[in-house]
Amino acid sequence: MYFKPLVSSFALAMALLSTSVLAKNESPLPKQLQSCASIESSLQRLDCYDNLARSVSKPAASASISSEKTAPATSATAASVVASTPVVTPAQNSEAVKTTQQKVDEFGAKKKPQADKELQEITSTISVIKRDPYKRLRLTLANNQVWAQTDYERLSIRTGDKVIIEKGAFGGFKLRKADGGKKISVKRVN
């Protein structure tokens, strides 16, 4: 996905170079290609090739048309290379580079919690307490949510107690009394 724009831009630049050589126009294109090739960063190198292709595309197209009239055998092959090379518009290319750059920037970074979109904790009152055969808690809250204990920690809790359920590590949830104390791991059943 990342290499397609790079390969197509490079192929376009090479096709344009061959048409300009065929038309015998002196241009600084080989020097510009060498300067682009010497760039270390892949994204900056791709951007250099794209800018070069954009700057040369209009004059080279007219040069290949005029060279078809003078030398049909060699310019026909160059024209077929130009015609078969997919052209990436500046809007498409900048969008592809932008999304690639965003992906690079976000790789391995912790995502910041967005308080507007996602709750970090809820507070409610316990309305029903049950225990499973392993003596783990199964709590029904005042908002009709049912939460089941996933660990084997002991927690002294009664009906009517106010509890806080907050996000824990790795997508889990922790439950504790509102007045503090021990936390237990829970998951939502319904």
Side-chain angles (χ1 to χ4, degrees), residues 155-157 161-164 175-183:
L155 181 65
S156 175
I157 199 161
D161 284 349
K162 197 171 199 176
V163 294
I164 298 173
L175 178 136
R176 64 179 167 86
K177 286 184 173 182
D179 59 357
K182 213 180 212 184
K183 292 182 183 180

Side-chain angles (χ1 to χ4, degrees), residues 58-73:
K58 289 182 183 178
S62 62
S64 67
I65 292 171
S66 65
S67 65
E68 281 182 347
K69 294 177 184 175
T70 58

Side-chain angles (χ1 to χ4, degrees), residues 27-100:
S27 85
L29 188 61
K31 290 180 183 177
Q32 292 172 345
L33 280 173
Q34 287 176 347
S35 67
C36 287
S38 65
I39 296 175
E40 293 285 325
S41 170
S42 301
L43 292 174
Q44 291 174 349
R45 185 172 51 249
L46 175 62
D47 192 38
C48 179
Y49 284 131
D50 289 340
N51 290 334
L52 185 60
R54 272 187 233 114
S55 68
V56 180
S57 64
K58 289 182 183 178
S62 62
S64 67
I65 292 171
S66 65
S67 65
E68 281 182 347
K69 294 177 184 175
T70 58
T74 55
S75 64
T77 57
S80 67
V81 170
V82 172
S84 67
T85 305
V87 177
V88 179
T89 63
Q92 290 172 338
N93 186 42
S94 64
E95 184 178 343
V97 170
K98 186 176 183 181
T99 57
T100 303

